[in-house]
Amino acid sequence: MNNAVLHWLQAQLGPDTNAADLAFRYERLHSARAVAAEILNERIAALIAEPLRVTVNGVATIDNSANVTALERRAAQLAVETAPDDPVVPKHDVLTAVPLLARARR
């Protein structure tokens, strides 16, 4: 994994994400997008495994449903963003042939 991939992953997942863990996952999955998706899905699963909303009457309320929504939105954005290790697909110019016809003379 090169520095561009590491910086992209940390930009997607946060700067406190363990670089050694990212490198291990990248070696296993061979794709920065797959690594980011796996980590985001793990974070979503961890939040869903616990109660999303806890209320202690008159003391405090903790609500993690907005965090789940934000992580799901972030995971959806990964599908449209360009990762630094994505294969480069050349854009082809389209060539169109148009038949020309002589115009009738008066």
XYZ file of all heavy atoms in Angstrom:
806
model
N 0.858 -1.172 0.000
C 0.000 0.000 0.000
C 0.904 1.234 0.000
O 1.798 1.360 0.831
C -0.898 -0.022 1.244
C -1.740 1.203 1.387
S -3.010 1.145 2.661
C -2.086 0.923 4.138
N 0.633 2.146 -0.915
C 1.453 3.351 -0.990
C 0.850 4.476 -0.134
O -0.231 4.329 0.436
C 1.650 3.793 -2.441
C 0.342 4.108 -3.128
O -0.637 4.499 -2.500
N 0.313 3.941 -4.441
N 1.561 5.594 -0.053
C 1.115 6.704 0.797
C -0.192 7.318 0.320
O -1.004 7.762 1.137
C 2.195 7.786 0.863
C 3.292 7.424 1.840
O 3.089 6.616 2.736
N 4.453 8.001 1.658
N -0.427 7.356 -0.989
C -1.667 7.937 -1.504
C -2.877 7.133 -1.032
O -3.896 7.701 -0.624
C -1.634 7.993 -3.035
N -2.753 5.821 -1.048
C -3.847 4.956 -0.588
C -4.043 5.126 0.911
O -5.184 5.247 1.392
C -3.565 3.478 -0.952
C -4.584 2.553 -0.315
C -3.550 3.301 -2.456
N -2.959 5.156 1.668
C -3.058 5.331 3.123
C -3.720 6.654 3.474
O -4.627 6.693 4.313
C -1.668 5.251 3.766
C -1.629 5.500 5.274
C -2.435 4.440 6.023
C -0.193 5.530 5.766
N -3.322 7.727 2.828
C -3.912 9.036 3.116
C -5.385 9.079 2.711
O -6.202 9.681 3.409
C -3.129 10.150 2.418
C -1.773 10.377 3.015
N -1.580 10.746 4.325
C -0.539 10.257 2.480
C -0.290 10.852 4.574
N 0.370 10.558 3.462
N -5.737 8.436 1.594
C -7.137 8.397 1.171
C -7.978 7.630 2.184
O -9.063 8.074 2.555
C -7.248 7.750 -0.214
C -8.637 7.783 -0.766
C -9.233 8.808 -1.426
C -9.603 6.729 -0.710
N -10.519 8.455 -1.784
C -10.770 7.180 -1.357
C -9.590 5.440 -0.179
C -11.908 6.398 -1.484
C -10.729 4.666 -0.309
C -11.874 5.141 -0.951
N -7.454 6.495 2.654
C -8.187 5.711 3.651
C -8.360 6.488 4.950
O -9.438 6.471 5.548
C -7.480 4.376 3.909
C -7.652 3.323 2.830
C -6.689 2.166 3.054
C -9.084 2.831 2.791
N -7.326 7.168 5.384
C -7.441 7.952 6.609
C -8.380 9.136 6.423
O -9.058 9.538 7.365
C -6.064 8.407 7.082
C -5.257 7.254 7.637
C -3.882 7.650 8.098
O -3.281 8.580 7.576
N -3.361 6.924 9.080
N -8.452 9.682 5.226
C -9.401 10.764 4.966
C -10.836 10.244 4.997
O -11.750 10.949 5.435
C -9.109 11.408 3.610
N -11.035 9.010 4.567
C -12.376 8.427 4.558
C -12.801 7.958 5.943
O -13.975 8.053 6.308
C -12.447 7.231 3.591
C -12.074 7.532 2.170
C -12.920 8.625 1.560
O -14.128 8.627 1.684
N -12.272 9.565 0.907
N -11.845 7.429 6.720
C -12.166 6.744 7.975
C -11.756 7.505 9.224
O -12.112 7.104 10.323
C -11.494 5.366 7.982
C -11.866 4.473 6.807
C -10.946 3.262 6.750
C -13.321 4.062 6.897
N -11.004 8.574 9.072
C -10.544 9.343 10.218
C -9.055 9.145 10.424
O -8.522 8.059 10.176
N -8.361 10.201 10.877
C -6.904 10.133 11.019
C -6.440 9.212 12.145
O -5.284 8.802 12.163
C -6.514 11.588 11.309
C -7.743 12.208 11.868
C -8.906 11.502 11.227
N -7.318 8.856 13.074
C -6.923 7.987 14.180
C -7.030 6.501 13.846
O -6.749 5.654 14.684
C -7.749 8.303 15.429
C -9.236 8.134 15.190
O -9.663 8.182 14.026
O -9.975 7.966 16.190
N -7.403 6.175 12.606
C -7.489 4.775 12.187
C -6.083 4.190 12.121
O -5.158 4.802 11.587
C -8.170 4.675 10.807
O -9.419 5.356 10.856
C -8.418 3.232 10.428
N -5.909 2.998 12.667
C -4.611 2.345 12.775
C -4.052 2.034 11.386
O -4.649 1.281 10.614
C -4.763 1.068 13.593
C -3.448 0.390 13.878
O -2.422 0.723 13.298
N -3.484 -0.559 14.785
N -2.895 2.590 11.061
C -2.275 2.402 9.752
C -1.849 0.949 9.538
O -1.941 0.438 8.417
C -1.070 3.326 9.590
N -1.408 0.266 10.577
C -1.003 -1.139 10.442
C -2.213 -2.007 10.114
O -2.129 -2.921 9.281
C -0.329 -1.617 11.718
N -3.341 -1.718 10.738
C -4.569 -2.448 10.442
C -5.023 -2.190 9.009
O -5.439 -3.109 8.307
C -5.674 -2.045 11.429
C -6.966 -2.805 11.201
O -6.911 -4.034 11.001
O -8.033 -2.169 11.210
N -4.905 -0.935 8.570
C -5.258 -0.612 7.186
C -4.371 -1.363 6.204
O -4.857 -1.898 5.199
C -5.149 0.897 6.950
C -6.161 1.780 7.676
C -5.845 3.247 7.410
C -7.579 1.451 7.262
N -3.068 -1.430 6.486
C -2.132 -2.133 5.603
C -2.444 -3.631 5.564
O -2.429 -4.243 4.480
C -0.699 -1.903 6.065
N -2.767 -4.224 6.715
C -3.108 -5.646 6.765
C -4.364 -5.927 5.942
O -4.407 -6.866 5.147
C -3.313 -6.080 8.222
C -3.806 -7.487 8.351
C -2.949 -8.557 8.138
C -5.129 -7.745 8.665
C -3.417 -9.865 8.251
C -5.599 -9.048 8.774
C -4.731 -10.111 8.569
N -5.384 -5.098 6.115
C -6.630 -5.285 5.369
C -6.401 -5.071 3.873
O -6.985 -5.774 3.046
C -7.701 -4.329 5.870
C -8.218 -4.669 7.253
C -9.202 -3.600 7.699
N -9.528 -3.679 9.098
C -10.735 -4.027 9.558
N -11.699 -4.307 8.739
N -10.943 -4.057 10.850
N -5.565 -4.095 3.522
C -5.298 -3.824 2.110
C -4.598 -5.012 1.453
O -4.909 -5.358 0.317
C -4.466 -2.553 1.960
C -4.312 -2.118 0.532
C -5.333 -1.433 -0.123
C -3.152 -2.398 -0.177
C -5.200 -1.045 -1.450
C -3.010 -2.012 -1.496
C -4.034 -1.331 -2.130
O -3.903 -0.953 -3.439
N -3.665 -5.638 2.171
C -2.980 -6.815 1.635
C -3.964 -7.960 1.418
O -3.834 -8.730 0.471
C -1.851 -7.260 2.575
C -0.688 -6.315 2.616
C -0.024 -6.135 1.264
O 0.173 -7.134 0.542
O 0.287 -4.974 0.918
N -4.961 -8.064 2.281
C -5.955 -9.136 2.173
C -6.986 -8.851 1.088
O -7.360 -9.740 0.328
C -6.656 -9.310 3.533
C -7.664 -10.434 3.573
C -8.163 -10.702 4.980
N -8.605 -9.529 5.706
C -9.841 -9.033 5.648
N -10.749 -9.586 4.896
N -10.152 -7.975 6.358
N -7.437 -7.598 0.979
C -8.539 -7.256 0.070
C -8.083 -6.682 -1.273
O -8.862 -6.654 -2.226
C -9.479 -6.263 0.765
C -10.157 -6.784 2.030
C -10.875 -5.654 2.743
C -11.118 -7.906 1.688
N -6.865 -6.156 -1.348
C -6.286 -5.609 -2.583
C -7.070 -4.431 -3.161
O -7.035 -4.199 -4.359
C -6.148 -6.697 -3.656
C -5.368 -7.881 -3.204
N -4.015 -7.827 -2.962
C -5.756 -9.150 -2.921
C -3.604 -9.012 -2.566
N -4.636 -9.834 -2.525
N -7.784 -3.692 -2.322
C -8.561 -2.552 -2.811
C -8.816 -1.584 -1.661
O -9.306 -1.989 -0.602
C -9.893 -3.030 -3.396
O -10.767 -1.949 -3.599
N -8.499 -0.317 -1.885
C -8.738 0.695 -0.855
C -10.240 0.853 -0.598
O -10.668 1.009 0.544
C -8.134 2.029 -1.278
N -11.033 0.790 -1.660
C -12.477 0.925 -1.511
C -13.051 -0.229 -0.671
O -13.902 -0.031 0.181
C -13.140 0.953 -2.887
C -14.612 1.199 -2.858
C -15.231 1.148 -4.241
N -14.475 1.866 -5.254
C -14.519 3.190 -5.424
N -15.287 3.920 -4.657
N -13.812 3.767 -6.372
N -12.541 -1.448 -0.876
C -13.005 -2.603 -0.104
C -12.619 -2.479 1.366
O -13.399 -2.835 2.256
C -12.447 -3.891 -0.702
N -11.428 -1.956 1.630
C -10.983 -1.752 3.016
C -11.891 -0.741 3.708
O -12.372 -0.976 4.829
C -9.515 -1.276 3.062
C -9.119 -0.835 4.464
C -8.587 -2.370 2.565
N -12.159 0.385 3.057
C -13.016 1.410 3.655
C -14.423 0.883 3.882
O -15.023 1.120 4.942
C -13.043 2.651 2.764
N -14.960 0.141 2.924
C -16.308 -0.412 3.067
C -16.366 -1.412 4.216
O -17.326 -1.414 5.003
C -16.745 -1.072 1.768
N -15.344 -2.252 4.350
C -15.322 -3.237 5.429
C -15.298 -2.557 6.797
O -16.048 -2.933 7.705
C -14.111 -4.155 5.275
C -14.033 -5.241 6.332
C -12.855 -6.164 6.117
O -11.713 -5.741 6.405
O -13.083 -7.300 5.670
N -14.470 -1.549 6.944
C -14.372 -0.862 8.236
C -15.667 -0.121 8.555
O -16.165 -0.162 9.685
C -13.156 0.079 8.260
C -11.876 -0.758 8.258
C -13.186 1.007 9.471
C -10.603 0.027 8.139
N -16.247 0.558 7.568
C -17.515 1.256 7.810
C -18.623 0.276 8.172
O -19.431 0.545 9.076
C -17.913 2.088 6.595
C -17.076 3.339 6.354
C -17.465 3.989 5.032
C -17.224 4.328 7.497
N -18.673 -0.866 7.500
C -19.687 -1.871 7.834
C -19.489 -2.435 9.236
O -20.464 -2.706 9.940
C -19.693 -2.990 6.794
C -20.293 -2.539 5.488
O -21.141 -1.658 5.447
N -19.841 -3.139 4.399
N -18.244 -2.602 9.663
C -17.969 -3.050 11.032
C -18.433 -2.012 12.051
O -18.991 -2.354 13.092
C -16.485 -3.330 11.215
C -16.011 -4.598 10.558
C -14.508 -4.805 10.693
O -13.827 -3.949 11.318
O -14.013 -5.819 10.169
N -18.200 -0.739 11.747
C -18.631 0.324 12.662
C -20.151 0.381 12.757
O -20.704 0.566 13.842
C -18.077 1.673 12.207
C -16.575 1.776 12.390
C -16.039 3.082 11.870
N -14.583 3.149 12.017
C -13.847 4.153 11.601
N -14.405 5.196 11.011
N -12.535 4.135 11.760
N -20.831 0.214 11.632
C -22.293 0.200 11.636
C -22.797 -0.986 12.437
O -23.708 -0.853 13.266
C -22.847 0.169 10.189
C -22.553 1.491 9.481
C -24.349 -0.119 10.181
C -22.805 1.457 7.981
N -22.218 -2.154 12.221
C -22.643 -3.360 12.941
C -22.425 -3.213 14.443
O -23.271 -3.648 15.245
C -21.886 -4.576 12.410
N -21.325 -2.590 14.841
C -21.056 -2.387 16.267
C -22.091 -1.462 16.896
O -22.544 -1.696 18.032
C -19.656 -1.830 16.469
N -22.491 -0.420 16.173
C -23.506 0.488 16.710
C -24.870 -0.177 16.789
O -25.622 0.018 17.756
C -23.597 1.753 15.853
C -22.492 2.781 16.047
C -22.620 3.899 15.022
C -22.536 3.361 17.452
N -25.208 -0.965 15.777
C -26.519 -1.619 15.755
C -26.609 -2.727 16.798
O -27.695 -3.020 17.310
C -26.813 -2.154 14.335
C -27.019 -0.972 13.388
C -28.030 -3.056 14.312
C -27.191 -1.360 11.944
N -25.477 -3.353 17.141
C -25.481 -4.430 18.128
C -25.876 -3.937 19.515
O -26.403 -4.700 20.317
C -24.109 -5.090 18.177
N -25.645 -2.678 19.779
C -26.003 -2.075 21.068
C -27.317 -1.309 20.901
O -27.695 -0.951 19.789
C -24.896 -1.114 21.518
C -23.555 -1.772 21.730
C -23.554 -2.766 22.869
O -24.240 -2.511 23.885
O -22.896 -3.809 22.741
N -28.003 -1.030 21.999
C -29.208 -0.203 21.880
C -28.854 1.163 21.285
O -27.877 1.787 21.685
C -29.692 -0.055 23.322
C -29.046 -1.164 24.076
C -27.765 -1.469 23.360
N -29.647 1.610 20.306
C -29.355 2.883 19.658
C -29.706 4.074 20.547
O -29.118 5.137 20.414
C -30.105 2.986 18.332
C -29.596 2.071 17.225
C -30.444 2.238 15.979
C -28.149 2.350 16.912
N -30.682 3.892 21.412
C -31.105 5.007 22.259
C -31.263 4.505 23.694
O -31.960 3.536 23.947
C -32.426 5.569 21.752
C -32.898 6.781 22.486
C -34.209 7.274 21.875
N -34.760 8.340 22.669
C -34.682 9.622 22.339
N -34.091 9.977 21.230
N -35.204 10.534 23.112
N -30.597 5.210 24.608
C -30.675 4.885 26.037
C -31.073 6.156 26.765
O -30.467 7.213 26.567
C -29.321 4.365 26.575
C -29.387 4.126 28.065
C -28.899 3.118 25.833
N -32.095 6.041 27.603
C -32.558 7.196 28.363
C -32.579 6.853 29.843
O -33.134 5.833 30.247
C -33.983 7.602 27.922
O -33.958 7.892 26.528
C -34.473 8.809 28.690
N -31.953 7.704 30.646
C -32.052 7.629 32.100
C -32.916 8.819 32.486
O -32.495 9.970 32.323
C -30.662 7.687 32.766
C -30.796 7.656 34.276
C -29.783 6.551 32.265
N -34.126 8.543 32.936
C -35.095 9.604 33.199
C -34.533 10.703 34.085
O -34.051 10.454 35.180
C -36.367 9.031 33.833
C -37.164 8.206 32.849
O -37.073 8.428 31.655
N -37.922 7.253 33.355
N -34.616 11.904 33.561
C -34.176 13.069 34.302
C -32.674 13.252 34.359
O -32.197 14.221 34.936
N -31.893 12.345 33.775
C -30.440 12.449 33.866
C -29.810 12.671 32.495
O -29.185 13.699 32.250
C -29.826 11.200 34.539
C -28.316 11.302 34.596
C -30.400 11.003 35.925
N -29.977 11.703 31.595
C -29.319 11.805 30.295
C -30.011 10.924 29.268
O -30.681 9.954 29.615
C -27.859 11.389 30.403
N -29.804 11.296 28.014
C -30.258 10.485 26.886
C -29.108 10.371 25.900
O -28.492 11.372 25.542
C -31.468 11.142 26.186
O -32.541 11.236 27.120
C -31.912 10.325 24.987
N -28.832 9.147 25.483
C -27.798 8.899 24.488
C -28.488 8.288 23.278
O -29.164 7.277 23.385
C -26.711 7.947 25.024
C -26.025 8.564 26.236
C -25.694 7.625 23.930
C -25.069 7.641 26.939
N -28.307 8.938 22.119
C -28.962 8.496 20.893
C -27.916 8.349 19.791
O -27.316 9.328 19.357
C -30.035 9.509 20.480
C -30.877 9.019 19.327
O -30.658 7.888 18.857
O -31.775 9.768 18.905
N -27.685 7.117 19.353
C -26.686 6.838 18.319
C -27.293 6.620 16.937
O -26.573 6.268 16.007
C -25.853 5.610 18.699
C -24.852 5.912 19.786
O -24.305 7.017 19.830
N -24.623 4.960 20.658
N -28.586 6.840 16.778
C -29.215 6.590 15.481
C -28.673 7.536 14.404
O -28.537 7.144 13.241
C -30.731 6.697 15.577
O -31.107 7.974 16.041
N -28.342 8.763 14.765
C -27.767 9.700 13.786
C -26.382 9.232 13.347
O -25.999 9.430 12.182
C -27.693 11.100 14.373
N -25.633 8.595 14.239
C -24.319 8.072 13.883
C -24.438 6.939 12.861
O -23.653 6.853 11.919
C -23.574 7.576 15.118
C -23.222 8.694 16.059
O -23.249 9.858 15.692
N -22.909 8.345 17.298
N -25.432 6.074 13.059
C -25.657 4.984 12.107
C -26.016 5.553 10.742
O -25.484 5.122 9.715
C -26.753 4.027 12.614
C -27.124 3.012 11.544
C -26.300 3.323 13.880
N -26.895 6.539 10.721
C -27.299 7.163 9.463
C -26.105 7.804 8.762
O -25.944 7.673 7.539
C -28.387 8.214 9.714
O -29.477 7.581 10.393
C -28.882 8.825 8.429
N -25.266 8.480 9.513
C -24.085 9.129 8.926
C -23.116 8.099 8.350
O -22.571 8.301 7.261
C -23.388 9.989 9.970
N -22.898 7.003 9.053
C -22.000 5.964 8.547
C -22.573 5.288 7.307
O -21.837 4.981 6.359
C -21.720 4.922 9.636
C -20.798 5.379 10.769
C -20.741 4.324 11.864
C -19.405 5.662 10.242
N -23.883 5.068 7.282
C -24.509 4.482 6.090
C -24.395 5.420 4.895
O -24.144 4.986 3.769
C -25.970 4.148 6.366
C -26.145 2.959 7.293
C -27.580 2.740 7.727
O -28.399 3.699 7.642
O -27.882 1.622 8.166
N -24.572 6.717 5.139
C -24.426 7.705 4.071
C -22.984 7.724 3.551
O -22.737 7.798 2.352
C -24.832 9.086 4.591
C -25.016 10.115 3.518
C -25.572 11.418 4.054
N -26.362 11.258 5.269
C -26.133 11.909 6.406
N -25.166 12.785 6.480
N -26.879 11.706 7.465
N -22.036 7.633 4.453
C -20.616 7.625 4.076
C -20.292 6.381 3.255
O -19.549 6.439 2.282
C -19.758 7.674 5.345
C -18.312 7.829 5.079
C -18.031 9.260 4.622
N -16.790 9.284 3.902
C -16.667 9.592 2.624
N -17.695 9.938 1.922
N -15.507 9.571 2.038
N -20.837 5.235 3.656
C -20.615 3.994 2.909
C -21.200 4.104 1.504
O -20.610 3.605 0.538
C -21.217 2.813 3.654
N -22.341 4.753 1.371
C -22.944 4.936 0.045
C -22.106 5.867 -0.819
O -22.025 5.684 -2.043
C -24.364 5.466 0.189
N -21.466 6.858 -0.218
C -20.619 7.782 -0.977
C -19.377 7.097 -1.533
O -18.846 7.515 -2.557
C -20.185 8.959 -0.098
C -21.229 10.013 0.080
C -20.716 11.143 0.963
O -19.901 10.918 1.859
N -21.183 12.338 0.710
N -18.917 6.057 -0.869
C -17.733 5.341 -1.348
C -17.948 4.764 -2.747
O -17.009 4.643 -3.518
C -17.374 4.196 -0.400
C -16.634 4.569 0.862
C -16.423 3.337 1.720
C -15.307 5.222 0.544
N -19.185 4.435 -3.064
C -19.471 3.828 -4.363
C -19.234 4.800 -5.512
O -18.929 4.375 -6.628
C -20.904 3.319 -4.396
N -19.363 6.088 -5.263
C -19.225 7.064 -6.347
C -17.897 7.808 -6.324
O -17.545 8.449 -7.300
C -20.392 8.083 -6.334
C -21.704 7.385 -6.593
C -20.432 8.850 -5.039
N -17.155 7.731 -5.232
C -15.866 8.416 -5.150
C -14.782 7.599 -5.844
O -14.871 6.387 -5.942
C -15.469 8.640 -3.690
C -16.258 9.727 -3.025
C -15.682 10.103 -1.677
O -14.510 9.800 -1.412
O -16.425 10.702 -0.904
N -13.756 8.285 -6.291
C -12.631 7.633 -6.943
C -11.550 7.351 -5.910
O -11.088 8.255 -5.225
C -12.062 8.536 -8.048
O -13.100 8.839 -8.966
C -10.921 7.854 -8.771
N -11.176 6.102 -5.811
C -10.093 5.704 -4.912
C -8.771 5.791 -5.676
O -8.743 5.648 -6.900
C -10.326 4.288 -4.404
N -7.661 6.022 -4.978
C -6.382 6.177 -5.672
C -5.894 4.910 -6.371
O -5.080 4.994 -7.287
C -5.418 6.597 -4.570
C -6.059 6.208 -3.305
C -7.533 6.216 -3.543
N -6.392 3.750 -5.992
C -5.949 2.516 -6.640
C -6.980 1.950 -7.610
O -6.844 0.822 -8.074
C -5.564 1.469 -5.598
C -6.738 1.027 -4.750
O -7.783 1.714 -4.759
O -6.617 -0.004 -4.069
N -8.013 2.731 -7.933
C -8.996 2.294 -8.915
C -8.324 2.160 -10.273
O -7.484 2.988 -10.642
C -10.152 3.295 -9.033
C -11.145 3.174 -7.897
O -11.091 2.164 -7.159
O -11.985 4.088 -7.738
N -8.689 1.135 -11.031
C -8.112 1.022 -12.370
C -8.556 2.192 -13.237
O -9.695 2.650 -13.152
C -8.661 -0.301 -12.905
C -9.782 -0.660 -12.016
C -9.605 0.069 -10.724
N -7.647 2.669 -14.040
C -7.944 3.804 -14.913
C -8.650 3.274 -16.153
O -8.133 2.422 -16.864
C -6.655 4.549 -15.306
C -6.959 5.678 -16.264
C -5.956 5.063 -14.066
N -9.851 3.759 -16.359
C -10.623 3.365 -17.531
C -10.509 4.498 -18.541
O -10.941 5.622 -18.276
C -12.100 3.128 -17.163
C -12.905 2.777 -18.398
C -12.212 2.055 -16.101
N -9.892 4.217 -19.689
C -9.734 5.299 -20.667
C -11.092 5.733 -21.216
O -11.963 4.911 -21.465
C -8.870 4.682 -21.763
C -9.043 3.210 -21.612
C -9.353 2.960 -20.162
N -11.229 7.028 -21.361
C -12.454 7.565 -21.943
C -12.258 7.612 -23.450
O -11.287 8.172 -23.939
C -12.739 8.957 -21.397
C -13.062 8.956 -19.926
C -13.401 10.342 -19.450
C -13.742 10.312 -17.974
N -14.066 11.622 -17.458
N -13.173 7.010 -24.145
C -13.083 6.969 -25.598
C -13.935 8.073 -26.190
O -15.060 8.306 -25.762
C -13.555 5.615 -26.124
C -12.733 4.471 -25.637
N -11.461 4.233 -26.087
C -12.975 3.519 -24.703
C -10.970 3.173 -25.468
N -11.872 2.723 -24.622
N -13.366 8.730 -27.172
C -14.153 9.713 -27.900
C -15.090 8.957 -28.827
O -14.758 7.908 -29.367
C -13.249 10.632 -28.724
C -12.407 11.532 -27.834
O -12.864 11.834 -26.728
O -11.314 11.926 -28.257
N -16.264 9.486 -28.977
C -17.254 8.852 -29.833
C -17.162 9.470 -31.217
O -17.192 10.686 -31.376
C -18.674 9.041 -29.245
C -19.708 8.457 -30.171
C -18.749 8.421 -27.870
N -17.028 8.628 -32.188
C -16.967 9.067 -33.568
C -18.278 8.674 -34.235
O -18.677 7.520 -34.209
C -15.793 8.407 -34.287
C -15.594 8.779 -35.746
C -15.299 10.274 -35.869
C -14.466 7.970 -36.340
N -18.946 9.638 -34.776
C -20.230 9.390 -35.413
C -20.125 9.707 -36.897
O -19.612 10.755 -37.282
C -21.326 10.282 -34.777
O -21.333 10.036 -33.387
C -22.678 9.978 -35.367
N -20.629 8.800 -37.700
C -20.654 9.019 -39.149
C -22.048 9.493 -39.537
O -23.049 8.890 -39.161
C -20.321 7.740 -39.890
N -22.098 10.581 -40.262
C -23.368 11.138 -40.708
C -23.346 11.189 -42.226
O -22.469 11.826 -42.823
C -23.588 12.563 -40.135
C -24.890 13.148 -40.632
C -23.518 12.531 -38.629
N -24.293 10.519 -42.870
C -24.297 10.571 -44.341
C -24.722 11.961 -44.815
O -25.645 12.563 -44.273
C -25.324 9.509 -44.734
C -26.184 9.359 -43.533
C -25.341 9.683 -42.350
N -24.026 12.441 -45.837
C -24.359 13.739 -46.411
C -25.103 13.514 -47.731
O -24.708 12.690 -48.555
C -23.089 14.551 -46.657
C -22.259 14.858 -45.408
C -20.984 15.586 -45.801
C -23.062 15.679 -44.434
N -26.159 14.226 -47.909
C -26.959 14.110 -49.137
C -26.944 15.443 -49.859
O -26.991 16.501 -49.238
C -28.399 13.726 -48.796
C -28.579 12.397 -48.055
C -30.024 12.212 -47.668
C -28.085 11.243 -48.890
N -26.905 15.342 -51.162
C -26.948 16.572 -51.975
C -28.338 17.178 -51.885
O -29.347 16.468 -51.887
C -26.584 16.263 -53.415
N -28.371 18.472 -51.793
C -29.641 19.178 -51.714
C -30.204 19.391 -53.124
O -29.453 19.676 -54.055
C -29.402 20.528 -51.032
C -30.619 21.171 -50.546
C -30.228 22.319 -49.682
N -30.872 23.512 -50.229
C -30.687 24.723 -49.838
N -29.805 24.943 -48.904
N -31.318 25.711 -50.373
N -31.475 19.213 -53.242
C -32.098 19.382 -54.564
C -31.948 20.835 -55.039
O -32.126 21.760 -54.269
C -33.573 19.007 -54.501
N -31.605 20.998 -56.320
C -31.437 22.338 -56.868
C -32.752 22.820 -57.433
O -33.565 22.068 -57.910
C -30.391 22.319 -57.959
C -29.042 21.956 -57.386
C -27.977 22.256 -58.406
N -26.709 21.834 -57.830
C -25.722 22.657 -57.614
N -25.825 23.921 -57.902
N -24.611 22.198 -57.099
N -32.934 24.151 -57.493
C -34.171 24.720 -58.029
C -34.067 25.033 -59.454
O -33.298 25.342 -60.161
C -34.511 26.004 -57.292
C -34.795 25.751 -55.864
C -35.229 27.029 -55.267
N -34.870 27.007 -53.855
C -35.147 27.936 -53.032
N -35.759 29.001 -53.423
N -34.833 27.846 -51.793
